[in-house]
Amino acid sequence: MKRIKTSATGGKDQTPNDFFSRVYETTMLIPYGRITSYGAIARYLGSGRSARMVGWALNASHTRSELIPAHRVVNRNGLLTGKHHFGNSSTMQQLLENEGLIVDDDRVVNFREKFWDPSRELKQILVSGKK
DNA sequence: ATTCTGACAGCAA
DNA sequence: TTTGCTGCCAGAA
């Protein structure tokens, strides 16, 4: 029984349907100028209590060739908790302000106004039949 | 294999 | 109200 030994890939990548990839896909669906929270994404993916994993995934989003708008993901308070992961601690804020969001003291002021909940916004898509 | 860590969130004091 | 502890679960060491 010689299983095919999957180390052919070098021992990395693969797993296109794992939690991480779903986080990336969801994140890329966030419209320009809108934001969401880690918990919202986690809930949308089915694991409402895995918000930390969402952040963990975004942490590795750098390795992806696709540009993932991780700056559009903040915590439930609208706080830019991950700003320190954009090289410059002011990069995240600049990106958000560049999209019309108002950031003050590391917090998105118009958070509720610009909040985009995937489990709510994408619900219609799921119902439409398009997977 | 086991232990530690983490870009969160919820709940108890 | 703010502060602190706990649960979550997947990687990295």
Side-chain angles (χ1 to χ4, degrees):
Chain A
M1 58 238 334
K2 58 287 263 5
R3 50 241 289 242
I4 316 278
K5 195 73 253 247
T6 57
S7 58
T9 60
K12 267 191 90 176
D13 61 77
Q14 296 300 101
T15 62
N17 271 332
D18 60 74
F19 193 81
F20 278 43
S21 296
R22 292 182 188 178
V23 172
Y24 300 146
E25 289 182 40
T26 306
T27 302
M28 289 189 278
L29 291 176
I30 304 173
Y32 179 94
R34 304 294 294 283
I35 54 179
T36 190
S37 70
Y38 303 93
I41 294 175
R43 270 198 313 166
Y44 172 66
L45 296 179
S47 310
R49 294 162 186 170
S50 311
R52 306 180 85 184
M53 268 63 276
V54 175
W56 200 258
L58 291 178
N59 180 38
S61 64
H62 282 282
T63 66
R64 294 282 165 162
S65 39
E66 297 293 335
L67 290 187
I68 297 160
H71 60 281
R72 294 178 190 154
V73 185
V74 297
N75 78 345
R76 79 166 202 73
N77 298 312
L79 200 62
L80 281 56
T81 53
K83 69 168 188 175
H84 223 216
H85 292 262
F86 286 80
N88 246 337
S89 54
S90 59
T91 303
M92 187 176 186
Q93 178 174 335
Q94 288 179 12
L95 288 170
L96 291 172
E97 293 181 326
N98 185 43
E99 297 189 3
L101 292 163
I102 304 171
V103 181
D104 176 57
D105 192 35
D106 295 335
R107 189 175 66 82
V108 179
V109 177
N110 49 347
F111 172 67
R112 291 195 63 180
E113 181 186 339
K114 298 292 184 178
F115 186 69
W116 181 83
D117 187 348
S119 60
R120 188 188 63 186
E121 304 291 340
L122 299 181
K123 193 172 185 178
Q124 299 174 23
I125 298 177
L126 295 176
V127 175
S128 296
K130 270 15 177 3
K131 192 212 79 134

